[in-house]
């Protein structure tokens, strides 16, 4: 596997310009002759499909939901960063670049991140022109807020529904192209596999989720925008249908998978209330501005009502351990601290499986200090949402929160052109690994998805088509029939499973293994345990699972079973990567590598690289490749939030 | 599945007629309905003149009869409004029914009113009544015994016809039921008209939503009081 | 808590369906959909056919979930999607009827799943501003008053779930269409295509065989995002504006 990132030479500021000039163009009259498959319709997929169609390409766009508007980008709450410096507070493209590289704990490519910061400015313009109702100031200008601990206010937002509004903007652009006949939208179609012809990605095989039909689609290039793999943990803030299948099938077909162990945990989610829990809901991090985090100080107080625990017996562990940042320490620090107190038995709330995994986020002091009205003005929506789910009013009882898996920084390896190691296969958004390094800054996911789709891929795909792409053909090539046959066989194999256990149950078991051993804190022993447990569970899947229904109808259980099969394999790759990366960085915390105060210790000597995994077949260990990371413009620094 | 007949699909080669769209038909219904409500109010005011006595009432009737061409213009105008209103209403009702071919086993109304949901029924009851009403007072086909009465000045004694007719509990009962139907119809319709015409929104919304029920009550009291007063002998022939 | 459910079962759009009784043991902290998950797990263990329903984000924003619970789309709690309803809303021993959205334009796919692609086709007919990627002016070049932006947002908050259609006695999509038309008609960016957009979207709505609006207000009452009936008044105004300017 060759890892040529194709990074342009020259000064950082000029790389993207220079590169765009060097990219080969496709003659405008020829664009309509190229068919491009876009898989996924979230921010990256919708924006890419719409922009490619506007350029004249012939686009087929696929999504698993009943409408492209339902992609999980819709659930992003906080906002989108852009280096507009509207607040005159010292922001710049360089500062956004620097913050992103540092936030990613120096495990991302400088050139990619710089390009992202450059493009961020155009994204806001584009979205506003589409009619995205961003928050405004009284004078009519766009409002900004500071987000995720940034020192400048560069986040544009639309109440707590920024992802929704940006996605609806991209969706409207997509539907405009559907109406123009330039995009064929295939809803309720799931990509099951990638089809390679002469080593190039030339099509996909899908299941029509209404009829069950497995069919091939040929194209001149394939663009994967299928999001992240947080659901490998079963419980996450991802939507229920979010999955790794499309990306993992591409990995099995030869695409390198980069840094799969890099996952982001969000510290403020509503905790699990029972074994039946199906997903976790994120509460905006802004709550930490006015809430104080605590647990009972002693084990004998555990299980008491919060009102029965006197002030002196409350352990404000963030304030005590991190006096200068207090409750506002970064996401990963806050998350690990919560896990630690709960692991120590001091957790609060409902005991699930004998464990109380929650801490209090208490607004009583703020309500006393600022008044109920001020708190309500700031957080009414969030408090209502919490009350709907948890059944308690945060005005009266401290909120219960616990960290949950939120975002995955790892993904298919791509070069500067967003092309994977398979020629023709481009990967955008959360599905690729490119820009966030080992951790993602708040309000940067939306920025990256839209940057890739609106402003990077439309340039770079032309270069592939005009320089590397060869031959025109359709699904009559035997490679398509072969992959269809393989997928039909896999479907038959799944439908033959008539065990006793619902697939959901096995998925939940996998999630527990991953959360315990490859979650917020990881160590060598735990990961080795997981690496023993996962293959064993995978074996049991094929004897215990039950998949109801047939393959010729709408069958959500068959869909889920297929996804869990891939999660069961992918989980192993994650653990291998986590074990291999013997350092702590960003969202990847190896307990062996921490300061006495519990801070992550990076090892730049040994691990300043991207780890890329190549599949060697089901029975062999994957091959490891490395893309070294060089930092010419920033100095590798160590975080400290003491 | 039942076929939803009307209007034409957007992508048919025929350019869709704006007034044939669902909203177009509603606007037509709203405007024609507003004309009919206007007439109902004027008509009600006329009825209330019964309380002023035979002389005033018959003079008013004679004045209306003496309008000649204008009278016929108004009559044709009202007829046209009625025909358009009923036709649009029936077309939309058929379409609305077709839009939900399979009814819910359980359906709990959240906001709609019983009178709002029975517009078709109250409308049809009213149309039936209207025919009877015209046969009664305009054409003299039913209850002709009172139709030929003349007053002391030789004018048609509409007052006498009116009061004597309503001394019959059956006639009064019929009128009160019909009045209730009209009032229920208007109670929903008047506010509905204001939204269909785009007026009922923002700051005006609450007031607009009160217009319908208020008009409904007004029409019921205004129209029902006279026959009931006749029946109870509060107004003498 | 013990619940008695009556759930609509239908194999596909061609075959007739019926209500089937089920008993399930639930927990008051469960969400409504988790209660159905538990029932489905039980059915799978017993080798019976589990119940299909649409769902995805389970946090009230994607618009996928869609059940009529005891005669009310999205169930008993105002301004809340089905996925955010929790079982504590119901008494122990409750008997609950669960049906799919019912409209000619929303054919049942299976059990409680329906096909709502009609809503996408209406958006495709004009629910956008025609701006090519790259052609946008500077974001602050057009000031938009805070109140205007907020109002536009209120309409833009629509999640496209179709509860308005499900609740309407006429299965009308006016609130959905009105929300999009109003959102874009309020903003300066939407002015150029304003009348054409309204006309095209109304024609598309009619072509999908939705019913007309009778101003009952059921849609507003069940809308999980509390979109106001003002959207419908505005849509009517936009229609008349299009007729008046001859651009219909």
């Amino acid at each position: 596997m060759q890892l040529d990132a194709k990074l342009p030479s020259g000064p950082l500021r000029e790389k993207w310009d220079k590169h765009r000039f060097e990219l080969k163009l496709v003659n405008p009259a020829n664009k309509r002759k190229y068919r491009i498959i876009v898989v996924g319709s979230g921010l990256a997929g919708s924006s890419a499909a719409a922009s490619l169609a506007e350029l004249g390409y012939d686009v087929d766009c696929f999504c698993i939901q009943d409408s492209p508007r339902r992609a999980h980008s819709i659930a992003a709450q906080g906002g989108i960063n852009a280096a507009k410096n509207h607040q005159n507070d010292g922001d710049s493209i360089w500062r956004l670049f620097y913050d992103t590289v540092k936030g990613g704990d120096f495990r991302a490519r400088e050139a990619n991140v710089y390009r992202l910061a450059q493009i961020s400015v155009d994204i806001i313009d584009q979205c506003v022109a589409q009619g995205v109702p961003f928050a405004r100031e009284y004078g009519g200008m766009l409002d900004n807020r500071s987000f995720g601990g940034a020192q400048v206010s560069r986040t544009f937002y639309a109440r707590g529904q920024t992802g929704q509004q940006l996605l609806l903007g991209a969706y409207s652009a997509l539907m405009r192209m559907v109406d123009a006949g330039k995009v064929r939208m295939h809803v309720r179609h799931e990509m099951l596999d990638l089809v390679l012809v002469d080593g190039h990605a030339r099509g996909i095989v899908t299941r029509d989720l209404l009829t069950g039909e497995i069919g091939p689609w040929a194209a001149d290039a394939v663009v994967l925008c299928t999001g992240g793999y947080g659901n490998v943990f079963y419980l996450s803030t991802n939507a229920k249908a979010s999955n790794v299948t499309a990306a993992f099938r591409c990995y099995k077909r030869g695409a390198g998978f980069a840094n799969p162990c890099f996952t982001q945990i969000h510290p403020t989610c509503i905790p699990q209330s029972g074994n039946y829990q199906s997903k976790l809901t994120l509460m905006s991090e802004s709550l930490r501005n006015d809430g104080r985090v605590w647990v009972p100080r002693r084990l004998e107080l555990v299980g008491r009502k919060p009102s029965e625990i006197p002030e002196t017996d409350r352990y404000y562990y963030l304030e005590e351990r991190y006096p200068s940042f207090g409750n506002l320490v970064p996401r990963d620090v806050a998350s690990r601290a919560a896990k630690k107190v709960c692991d120590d038995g001091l957790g609060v709330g409902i005991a699930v499986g004998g464990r109380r995994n929650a801490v209090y986020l208490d607004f009583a002091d703020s309500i006393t200090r600022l008044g109920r009205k001020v708190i309500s003005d700031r957080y009414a929506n969030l408090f209502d949402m919490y009350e709907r789910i948890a059944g308690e009013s945060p005005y009266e009882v401290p909120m219960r929160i616990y960290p949950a898996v939120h975002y995955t920084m790892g993904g298919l390896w791509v070069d500067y052109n967003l092309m994977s190691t398979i020629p023709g296969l481009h990967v955008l958004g959360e599905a690729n690994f490119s820009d966030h390094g080992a951790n993602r800054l708040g309000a940067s996911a939306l920025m990256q998805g839209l940057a890739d789709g609106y402003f990077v891929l439309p340039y770079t795909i032309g270069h592939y088509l005009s320089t590397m792409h060869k031959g025109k053909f359709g699904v009559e090539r035997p490679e398509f029939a072969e992959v269809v046959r393989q997928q039909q066989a896999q479907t038959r194999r799944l439908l033959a499973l008539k065990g006793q256990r619902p697939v959901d149950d096995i998925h939940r078991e996998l999630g527990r293994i991953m959360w315990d051993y490859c979650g917020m804190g990881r160590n060598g022993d735990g990961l080795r345990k997981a690496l023993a447990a996962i293959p064993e569970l995978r074996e049991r899947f094929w004897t215990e699972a039950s998949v109801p229904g047939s393959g010729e109808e709408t069958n959500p259980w068959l869909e889920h079973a297929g996804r869990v099969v891939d999660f069961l394999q992918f989980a192993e790759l994650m653990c291998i990567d986590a074990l291999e990366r013997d350092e702590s960085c960003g969202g990847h915390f190896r307990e062996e590598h921490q300061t006495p105060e519990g801070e992550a210790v990076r090892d730049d000597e040994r691990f300043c690289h991207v780890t890329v995994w190549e599949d060697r077949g089901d029975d062999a260990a994957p091959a490891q490749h490395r893309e070294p990371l060089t930092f010419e413009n920033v100095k590798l620094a160590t975080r400290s939030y003491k | 599945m039942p076929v939803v007949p009307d209007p034409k699909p957007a992508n048919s080669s025929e350019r869709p007629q704006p007034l044939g769209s669902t909203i177009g038909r509603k606007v037509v219904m709203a405007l024609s309905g507003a004309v009919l409500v206007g007439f109902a109010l004027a008509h009600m005011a006329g009825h209330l003149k019964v309380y002023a006595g035979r002389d005033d009432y018959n003079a008013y009737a004679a004045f209306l009869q003496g309008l000649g061409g204008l009278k016929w213009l108004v009559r044709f105008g009202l007829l046209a409004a009625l025909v358009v209103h009923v036709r649009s209403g029936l077309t939309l009702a058929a379409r609305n029914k077709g839009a939900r071919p399979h009814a819910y086993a359980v359906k709990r109304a959240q906001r709609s009113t019983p009178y709002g949901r029975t517009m078709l029924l109250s409308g049809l009851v009213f149309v039936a009544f209207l025919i009877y009403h015209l046969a009664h007072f305009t054409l003299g086909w039913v209850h002709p015994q009172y139709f030929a009465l003349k007053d002391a000045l030789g004018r048609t004694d509409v007052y006498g016809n009116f009061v004597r007719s309503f001394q019959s509990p059956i006639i009064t009962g019929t009128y009160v039921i019909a009045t209730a139907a009209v009032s229920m119809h208007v109670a929903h319709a008047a506010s509905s008209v204001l939204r269909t015409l785009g007026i009922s929104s923002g700051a005006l919304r609450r007031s607009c939503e009160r217009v319908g029920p208020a008009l409904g009550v007004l029409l019921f009291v205004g129209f029902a009081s006279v026959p009931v007063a006749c029946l109870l002998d509060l107004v003498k022939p | 808590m013990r619940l008695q459910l009556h759930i609509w079962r239908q194999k596909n759009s061609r075959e007739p369906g019926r209500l089937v009784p089920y008993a399930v043991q639930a927990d008051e902290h469960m969400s409504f959909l988790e209660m159905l998950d538990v029932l489905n797990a039980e059915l799978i263990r017993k080798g019976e056919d589990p119940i299909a329903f649409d769902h995805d984000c389970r946090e009230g924003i994607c618009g996928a979930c869609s059940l009529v619970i005891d005669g009310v789309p999205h169930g008993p709690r105002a301004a809340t999607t089905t996925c955010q309803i929790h079982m504590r809303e119901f008494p122990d021993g409750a008997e609950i009827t669960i049906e799919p959205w019912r409209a000619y334009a929303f054919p049942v796919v299976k059990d409680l799943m329906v096909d709502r692609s009609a809503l996408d086709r209406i958006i495709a007919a004009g629910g956008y501003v025609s701006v090519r990627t790259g052609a946008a002016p500077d974001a602050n070049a057009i000031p938009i008053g805070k109140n205007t932006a907020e109002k536009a947002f209120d309409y833009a908050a629509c999640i496209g779930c179709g509860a308005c259609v499900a609740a309407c006695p006429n299965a009308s999509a006016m609130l959905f269409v009105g929300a999009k038309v109003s959102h874009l008609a309020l903003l300066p960016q939407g002015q150029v295509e304003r009348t054409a957009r309204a006309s095209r979207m109304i024609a598309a709505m009619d072509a999908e065989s939705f019913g007309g609006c009778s101003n009952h207000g059921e849609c507003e009452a069940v809308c999980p995002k509390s979109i106001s009936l003002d959207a419908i008044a505005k849509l009517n105004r936009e229609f008349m504006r299009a007729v008046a300017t001859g651009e219909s």
Side-chain angles (χ1 to χ4, degrees):
Chain A
M1 183 177 281
Q2 290 299 311
L3 298 177
D4 176 5
K6 302 202 176 65
L7 298 177
S9 58
L12 191 59
R13 284 190 173 86
E14 290 158 27
K15 281 182 196 284
W16 178 229
D17 259 359
K18 178 169 171 285
H19 190 68
R20 275 192 293 180
F21 178 69
E22 286 166 357
L23 290 171
K24 293 278 175 289
L25 299 174
V26 176
N27 181 316
N30 284 339
K31 284 191 179 121
R32 67 185 166 78
K33 297 178 189 161
Y34 289 109
R35 176 171 289 194
I36 298 169
I37 283 174
V38 177
V39 189
S41 66
L43 285 175
S46 285
S47 59
S51 303
L52 293 173
E54 285 164 5
L55 285 170
Y57 293 111
D58 187 23
V59 179
D60 279 289
C61 184
F62 296 81
C63 73
I64 53 178
Q65 296 87 353
D66 67 331
S67 163
R69 67 182 294 157
R70 307 214 197 282
H72 196 55
S73 306
I74 201 126
Q77 298 172 1
I80 175 166
N81 286 332
K84 285 267 194 188
N85 194 26
H86 281 171
Q87 303 300 322
N88 199 31
D89 57 359
D91 197 15
S92 62
I93 288 169
W94 191 273
R95 188 177 295 280
L96 176 55
F97 152 72
Y98 180 77
D99 287 355
T100 306
V101 170
K102 183 181 172 216
D105 226 357
F106 305 95
R107 292 294 175 264
R109 284 186 202 132
E110 278 189 339
N112 279 60
V113 177
Y114 193 83
R115 175 175 69 185
L116 178 65
Q118 282 177 304
I119 289 172
S120 67
V121 180
D122 302 325
I123 296 171
I124 303 302
D125 297 346
Q126 185 65 30
C127 297
V128 166
Q130 290 166 345
V132 170
F134 281 119
R136 298 267 168 174
E137 297 168 347
Y138 281 102
M141 299 301 160
L142 289 157
D143 195 15
N144 295 108
R145 61 184 174 196
S146 156
F147 196 80
Q151 311 266 12
V152 291
S153 293
R154 62 160 79 97
T155 304
F156 294 78
Y157 65 102
R159 294 191 195 156
Q161 288 143 259
T162 316
Q164 180 202 24
Q165 293 307 316
L166 295 176
L167 180 62
L168 292 182
Y171 159 78
S172 72
L174 172 65
M175 295 317 280
R176 183 169 85 94
M177 288 294 103
V178 169
D179 189 51
K182 301 297 292 177
V183 176
R184 282 170 301 276
M185 188 69 222
H186 308 274
V187 300
R188 295 206 204 254
H189 274 70
E190 176 158 23
M191 172 175 163
L192 298 178
D193 215 336
L194 182 73
V195 181
L196 269 59
V197 178
D198 303 330
H200 285 238
R202 293 304 297 268
I204 61 172
V205 166
T206 62
R207 171 181 290 123
D208 179 333
L209 301 182
L210 291 182
T211 64
E213 188 187 344
I214 293 174
W217 306 85
D220 296 292
V222 176
V223 181
L224 212 64
C225 311
T226 50
Y229 46 83
N231 274 348
V232 70
F233 293 91
Y234 186 76
L235 287 179
S236 77
T237 64
N238 284 8
K240 290 300 285 177
S242 301
N243 68 81
V244 76
T245 289
F248 191 71
R249 296 329 297 176
C250 292
Y251 163 74
K252 295 300 280 184
R253 294 282 171 199
F257 208 112
N259 299 332
C261 76
F262 285 170
T263 50
Q264 185 176 65
I265 313 278
H266 197 286
T268 51
C269 299
I270 301 176
Q272 206 179 341
S273 67
N275 276 322
Y276 48 78
Q277 190 88 22
S278 61
K279 82 153 267 161
L280 297 170
T281 302
L282 185 141
M283 301 291 292
S284 169
E285 243 180 319
S286 63
L287 290 167
R288 288 201 281 147
N289 290 330
D290 286 303
R292 296 181 71 195
V293 178
W294 64 274
V295 290
R297 195 173 284 281
R298 289 174 286 114
L299 284 171
E300 56 271 29
L301 298 167
V302 168
R304 279 203 207 168
K305 282 188 191 159
S307 56
E308 291 165 358
I309 301 174
E311 184 63 28
T312 48
D313 283 330
R314 297 180 176 189
Y315 178 24
Y316 294 96
Y317 57 89
L318 288 178
E319 296 173 19
E320 290 183 22
R321 287 174 58 189
Y322 307 97
S324 60
F325 276 76
N327 296 299
L328 292 172
V329 291
R331 288 178 174 183
D332 55 325
V333 177
S335 300
R336 282 197 302 276
K339 179 181 188 313
K340 183 170 186 315
V341 290
C342 292
D343 288 351
D344 292 345
L346 297 171
V348 302
I350 302 166
V352 179
R355 284 159 80 170
R356 290 177 200 273
N357 278 341
V359 300
Y360 288 128
L361 182 61
D362 196 338
F363 294 88
D365 280 4
S366 293
I367 291 172
T368 312
R369 183 164 41 90
L370 303 166
R372 192 179 158 125
K373 165 114 187 31
V374 174
I375 294 298
S376 164
D377 285 348
R378 285 182 192 166
Y379 306 116
N381 283 349
L382 294 165
F383 279 25
D384 289 350
M385 178 165 98
Y386 179 83
E387 207 240 308
R388 265 203 297 274
I389 294 170
E392 289 174 348
S393 165
Y395 295 108
E396 317 296 336
V397 185
M399 216 178 241
R400 285 171 286 120
I401 55 162
Y402 199 63
V405 174
H406 179 52
Y407 187 89
T408 53
M409 283 75 67
L412 291 175
W413 184 89
V414 289
D415 62 17
Y416 192 67
N417 293 328
L418 302 182
M419 192 161 83
S420 70
T421 54
I422 297 176
L425 175 67
H426 295 73
V427 190
L428 278 57
E430 193 180 349
N432 75 24
F433 89 107
S434 66
D435 298 352
H436 304 298
N439 211 349
R440 179 179 63 76
L441 286 189
S444 281
L446 305 182
M447 172 172 72
Q448 186 226 336
L450 290 178
D452 288 358
Y454 282 135
F455 297 112
V456 180
L457 183 81
Y459 299 98
T460 59
I461 202 165
H463 185 73
Y464 164 75
L465 292 170
S466 53
T467 58
M468 299 167 72
H469 172 268
K470 292 188 291 283
K472 300 294 278 182
F473 44 78
V475 295
E476 68 283 354
R477 284 281 295 227
E479 290 88 343
F480 287 89
E482 177 53 28
V483 177
V484 167
R485 253 196 310 279
Q486 289 167 9
Q487 284 303 324
Q488 283 168 339
Q490 175 77 348
T491 298
R492 276 195 300 276
R493 205 175 155 214
L494 288 170
L495 286 167
L497 293 176
K498 295 295 173 218
Q500 285 294 307
R501 261 180 107 180
V503 170
D504 214 36
D505 209 33
I506 298 172
H507 190 178
R508 199 178 272 123
E509 189 177 338
L510 173 68
R512 269 195 298 268
I513 296 172
M514 294 303 286
W515 182 248
D516 285 346
Y517 300 121
C518 197
M520 271 184 283
R522 301 151 176 191
N523 60 58
D525 287 345
L527 288 165
R528 275 183 285 272
K529 268 187 211 158
L531 284 170
I534 294 165
E536 188 266 334
L537 180 63
R538 200 161 55 220
E539 286 289 306
R540 282 195 285 122
F541 174 90
W542 293 104
T543 55
E544 293 175 1
S546 173
V547 180
S550 79
E552 288 81 41
E553 58 175 343
T554 308
N555 189 342
W557 298 276
L558 172 62
E559 296 162 24
H560 186 214
R563 295 167 196 162
V564 171
V565 166
D566 289 326
F567 275 136
L568 281 166
Q569 292 193 55
F570 176 72
E572 198 174 344
L573 185 67
M574 264 181 89
C575 293
I576 292 172
D577 187 50
L579 186 60
E580 165 63 29
R581 190 168 280 278
D582 195 17
E583 65 159 350
S584 293
C585 64
H588 171 68
F589 188 77
R590 281 289 295 267
E591 287 159 356
E592 302 94 323
H593 302 284
Q594 55 180 315
T595 62
E597 294 84 30
E599 289 289 350
V601 176
R602 241 179 23 232
D603 184 346
D604 293 331
E605 289 286 306
R606 290 167 61 218
F607 291 101
C608 197
H609 61 249
V610 177
T611 315
V612 185
W613 299 95
E614 179 184 10
D615 182 56
R616 293 277 188 84
D618 288 346
D619 302 321
Q624 189 193 146
H625 304 270
R626 290 178 178 181
E627 180 199 338
L629 292 169
T630 48
F631 292 89
E632 295 161 350
N633 298 280
V634 300
K635 204 168 130 280
L636 272 67
T638 305
R639 298 192 310 175
S640 175
Y641 295 96
K642 277 286 167 185
Chain B
M1 290 239 192
V3 177
V4 181
D6 190 50
K8 292 273 185 300
N11 51 3
S12 77
S13 52
E14 250 175 275
R15 204 176 144 75
Q17 289 299 310
L19 293 183
S21 68
T22 46
I23 300 184
R25 287 192 195 282
K26 275 299 282 189
V27 170
V28 167
M29 265 188 93
L31 294 172
S32 56
V35 168
L36 295 172
V37 169
F39 172 74
L41 286 170
H43 193 57
M44 182 186 79
H47 271 209
L48 292 173
K49 273 194 180 292
V50 164
Y51 292 121
R54 183 189 310 271
D55 203 41
D56 272 13
Y57 193 77
N58 285 353
Y60 169 66
F63 162 74
L64 289 181
Q65 289 298 324
L67 288 175
L70 190 60
K71 178 180 80 180
W72 284 102
L73 198 68
V74 171
R75 281 181 170 173
F76 278 117
L78 286 171
L79 182 67
L82 184 71
V83 168
V84 165
H85 192 75
V86 171
R87 187 168 174 270
S88 306
L90 291 175
T91 309
L92 281 171
R95 183 188 171 88
N96 293 345
K97 200 164 158 42
R100 172 156 306 124
H102 198 299
Y104 288 104
V106 181
K107 185 75 171 71
R108 272 219 317 272
Q110 300 292 294
R111 193 73 67 74
S112 60
T113 57
Y115 52 89
R117 291 193 302 270
T118 49
M119 292 296 279
L120 185 63
L121 179 68
S122 57
L124 292 176
V125 166
F126 173 72
V127 169
F129 164 75
L130 189 65
I131 294 165
Y132 166 73
H133 184 53
L134 290 173
H136 183 181
F137 285 112
T138 309
L139 301 167
W141 293 351
V142 292
H143 320 302
Q145 64 272 33
Y146 311 125
F147 196 68
L149 290 175
K150 300 282 178 196
D151 71 359
L153 293 175
R155 296 174 300 201
T156 306
D157 188 8
V158 182
Y159 178 84
N161 181 1
F162 194 103
V163 178
R164 285 199 174 84
S165 297
F166 288 126
Q167 283 174 335
S168 152
I170 294 172
I171 298 178
T172 297
T174 310
Y175 270 76
V176 169
I177 290 169
T179 302
V182 173
S183 306
M184 281 165 60
H185 199 82
V186 170
H188 177 78
S191 293
S192 180
V193 163
L194 292 172
R195 183 163 294 112
T196 301
L197 297 181
I199 299 160
S200 175
S201 77
L204 292 177
R205 177 173 169 185
R206 282 180 72 103
S207 318
C208 288
E209 286 179 347
R210 290 192 185 120
V211 166
L215 268 182
V217 170
L218 179 70
L219 287 173
F220 184 72
V221 172
F223 272 119
S225 82
V226 185
V228 171
C230 295
L231 183 70
L232 298 179
D233 232 13
L234 299 173
V235 177
K236 310 281 183 206
Chain C
M1 61 198 297
R2 191 86 194 150
L3 300 167
Q4 184 64 46
L5 308 174
H6 300 274
I7 301 179
W8 185 260
R9 302 304 310 266
Q10 184 170 342
K11 205 168 160 43
N12 53 48
S13 57
R14 297 173 302 280
E15 288 173 45
R18 67 197 175 96
L19 283 171
V20 176
Y22 294 95
V24 66
Q25 188 70 38
D27 181 301
E28 57 163 352
H29 295 302
M30 279 179 184
S31 73
F32 198 85
L33 298 183
E34 283 165 351
M35 181 273 293
L36 289 178
D37 290 342
V38 167
L39 173 61
N40 274 339
E42 224 172 276
L43 292 175
I44 292 171
R45 283 200 184 88
K46 286 195 284 190
E48 290 177 30
D49 192 20
I51 300 142
F53 57 91
D54 264 319
H55 64 99
D56 200 15
C57 79
R58 296 202 178 193
E59 51 185 275
I61 194 73
C62 76
C65 63
S66 58
L67 308 177
V68 176
I69 301 168
D70 277 341
V72 184
H74 287 312
R77 196 171 167 137
T80 305
T81 54
T82 292
C83 65
Q84 299 273 280
I85 299 284
H86 282 67
M87 297 318 292
R88 61 181 86 89
E89 304 278 341
F90 300 87
D92 190 14
E95 201 166 332
I96 307 170
T97 304
I98 308 171
E99 294 179 79
W101 281 181
R102 293 202 186 280
Y104 179 87
F106 290 167
V108 171
V109 166
K110 182 177 183 169
D111 297 338
L112 301 167
M113 293 167 77
V114 298
D115 179 355
R116 284 169 285 189
S117 50
L119 299 182
D120 283 331
R121 289 190 290 273
I122 295 174
I123 296 294
Y128 44 74
V129 174
S130 298
V131 53
R132 242 182 321 102
T133 303
D138 183 82
N140 259 347
I142 314 161
I144 299 171
K146 187 177 171 69
N147 292 337
T148 307
E150 293 287 320
K151 230 166 133 186
F153 190 103
D154 288 340
Y155 295 124
C158 171
I159 58 174
C161 64
C164 45
V165 176
C168 176
N170 305 340
S172 169
M174 288 276 282
L175 192 68
F176 171 81
V177 178
K180 186 44 71 187
V181 166
S182 302
H183 158 214
L184 295 175
L186 278 166
L187 295 174
Q189 299 93 313
Q191 295 310 306
V192 174
E193 298 165 288
R194 183 170 169 181
T195 45
R197 174 184 307 116
S199 302
R200 289 195 65 197
M201 290 182 73
I202 291 165
M205 168 180 86
D206 284 349
E208 297 291 349
S209 300
F210 289 102
C213 175
S214 294
N215 296 309
H216 290 303
E218 292 286 342
C219 51
E220 182 189 57
V222 303
C223 176
K225 297 295 149 187
S226 304
I227 291 171
S228 163
L229 281 177
D230 286 7
I232 292 181
K234 175 107 179 134
L235 178 62
N236 290 330
R237 289 202 296 277
E238 295 299 312
F239 168 81
M240 289 184 281
R241 190 188 152 100
V243 173
T245 53
E247 287 182 49
S248 62

